[in-house]
Amino acid sequence: SGFQKFIIGEPEVEEKIGNPYGIAMFEGKLYVCDVGRQLVEVLDLQNKTFGYLTKDRRLINPMNIYIDDGTKYVADSVAGAVFVFDGNDTLSAILGKELEIKPVDVVVREELCYIADANKNQVVVINKRTGQEITRIGQEGDNEGQFRLIGDLALDNQGNIYVTDKVKGQIVKFDKSGLFQRTFGRLGINIDEFVRPKGIAVDKDGRIWVADAAAEVVKI
């Protein structure tokens, strides 16, 4: 109770991960977005320590994190914004708060910040320094190139954009300018199908890694 905390202080919190979602690596540290504990945990693999990016309670439901040259961008679906932390893990900006978005993932490329918005089922592109909206990619719908339930996103070396659709069980590809290119994958349990694709990444060799949450596998 509040009275107990006043008398004996806050109870010790066990260092554990509750319900991990997005992750990122930087300089030997693994950053884990824990939607269960509503924190971003930091596992320093070199020094074998466990800590937190922040305990700022303006961060409510961190889902995904992207690290660009030490700057951390955290997509918070409940707070409706992307929280930006500098190299010293100090909160430096809150992006997209006025856009009425529900960020579930974020990727930064040069001056642009790409946000997967579960509110409008679109990719919202904003200027990472000013927060000004530049464009929106895709839209909600059942047609090819449209989203039923947008998931995570990734960019390849050429700037192409790959987005998962958790309901359609497929990946949607747009080019650098945001023009629809193609979809691949479909609902099913075969090796070339997805049940509930969520996380996605593209490595330097152009291979696409997709985490299928329902099937509990990662497909390449």
Side-chain angles (χ1 to χ4, degrees), residues 114-117 121-125 135-137 150 153 161 163:
Y114 298 80
I115 304 169
D117 173 25
N121 273 313
Q122 293 178 310
V123 176
V124 180
V125 185
T135 188
R136 291 182 179 241
I137 299 170
I150 199 170
L153 62 90
I161 306 160
V163 190

Side-chain angles (χ1 to χ4, degrees), residues 79-82 94-103 115 119-120 124 126-127 130-134 136:
V82 171
I94 301 176
L95 302 175
K97 189 71 175 177
E98 70 286 351
L99 300 179
E100 297 183 355
I101 57 177
K102 185 178 180 180
I115 304 169
N119 186 31
K120 293 290 182 64
V124 180
I126 66 174
N127 183 292
T130 66
Q132 180 181 1
E133 180 179 325
I134 297 172
R136 291 182 179 241

